[in-house]
């Protein structure tokens, strides 16, 4: 079985989210990581984009109270045209979604636009369809190559054994 909570917690712990942080998740799926991030950024805000209407419905239901309180803001949108102002976020993260981006270069330009100077961008890749750890390594290498071509500077790469395979994360900062 895939342990989604473990991978979300593992990544968010490494981001050292502060109570007042402004956070964006790209590809929020059913909204589980949005909820976990909102529990940490208690005085900040958490936003998310996902291109799926169904994921928006599920995430909205899961985060109903935080949305009503104005702490969470969800949008049906893709990474290529983020509906947010420049320099709006302290942290932007994506869990198992970057490999679905239609235009990664354009998506990374948008991430840079909405991320404040010195902000963090984290990408987690957890190939749950295989137990082969080399799949995670290949994903990490692809993410690093995409970041290399952008103006984001890689500051850390991490890995953790999370069933059924290995999860990898690449963390970068704006320059």
């Amino acid at each position: 079985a895939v342990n989604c909570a473990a991978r979300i917690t593992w990544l968010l712990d490494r981001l050292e989210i502060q109570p007042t942080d402004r956070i964006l998740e790209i590809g929020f799926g059913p909204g589980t990581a949005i909820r976990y991030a909102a529990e940490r950024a208690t005085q900040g805000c958490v936003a998310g984009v996902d291109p799926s209407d169904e994921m928006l419905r599920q995430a909205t239901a899961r985060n109903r109270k935080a949305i009503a309180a104005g702490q969470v803001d969800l949008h049906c949108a893709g990474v290529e045209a983020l509906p947010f102002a420049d320099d709006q976020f302290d942290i932007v993260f994506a869990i198992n979604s970057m490999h679905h981006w239609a235009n990664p270069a354009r998506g990374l330009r948008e991430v840079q636009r909405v991320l404040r100077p010195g902000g963090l961008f984290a990408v987690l890749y957890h190939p749950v369809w295989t137990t082969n750890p080399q799949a995670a390594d290949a994903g990490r290498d692809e993410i690093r190559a995409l970041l290399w071509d952008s103006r984001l500077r890689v500051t850390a790469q991490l890995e953790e054994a999370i069933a059924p395979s290995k999860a990898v994360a690449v963390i970068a900062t704006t320059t």
Side-chain angles (χ1 to χ4, degrees), residues 3 16 29 59 63 73 78-79 90-91 102 106 108 125 146 148 165 172:
N3 191 339
E16 300 178 355
N63 292 282
D73 180 27
V79 67
D90 302 299
I91 297 170
R106 184 175 172 93
L108 287 170
Y125 181 65
L146 289 167
W148 178 262
S165 180

Side-chain angles (χ1 to χ4, degrees), residues 34-35 37-38 44-48 59 63 65-74:
I34 292 283
R35 187 182 74 216
C45 64
V46 179
N63 292 282
K65 289 180 184 174
I67 292 169
Q71 185 191 14
V72 168
D73 180 27
L74 302 177

Side-chain angles (χ1 to χ4, degrees), residues 4-170:
C4 293
R7 73 178 175 206
I8 293 167
T9 301
W10 176 72
L11 178 65
L12 296 184
D13 283 350
R14 272 123 200 99
L15 296 178
E16 300 178 355
I17 294 170
Q18 299 302 304
T20 58
D21 278 344
R22 297 162 299 155
I23 301 167
L24 171 63
E25 182 180 13
I26 298 169
F28 54 70
T32 306
I34 292 283
R35 187 182 74 216
Y36 285 20
E39 290 170 355
R40 294 163 189 246
T42 54
Q43 300 159 31
C45 64
V46 179
V49 296
D50 195 293
S52 165
D53 288 326
E54 178 57 29
M55 291 299 101
L56 178 61
R57 279 191 289 279
Q58 289 182 30
T60 298
R62 178 170 272 118
N63 292 282
R64 182 176 40 257
K65 289 180 184 174
I67 292 169
Q71 185 191 14
V72 168
D73 180 27
L74 302 177
H75 298 266
C76 188
V79 67
E80 293 83 9
L82 295 172
F84 305 106
D86 295 358
D87 304 329
Q88 187 170 341
F89 298 101
D90 302 299
I91 297 170
V92 175
F93 70 94
I95 298 176
N96 269 11
S97 69
M98 192 174 188
H99 58 281
H100 295 293
W101 296 5
N103 186 331
R106 184 175 172 93
L108 287 170
R109 284 193 299 275
E110 279 292 278
V111 167
Q112 291 169 308
R113 182 184 65 75
V114 302
L115 196 57
R116 71 162 172 77
L120 293 179
F121 175 54
V123 180
L124 183 139
Y125 181 65
H126 185 212
V128 297
W129 54 89
T130 181
T131 57
N132 182 349
Q134 292 177 338
D137 294 338
R140 179 202 55 228
D141 293 346
E142 182 179 339
I143 292 164
R144 285 183 56 87
L146 289 167
L147 292 174
W148 178 262
D149 291 339
S150 76
R151 292 191 320 260
L152 293 162
R153 184 174 53 88
V154 174
T155 58
Q157 65 180 34
L158 313 163
E159 62 181 59
E160 182 77 9
I162 300 174
S165 180
K166 173 171 76 172
V168 296
V170 178

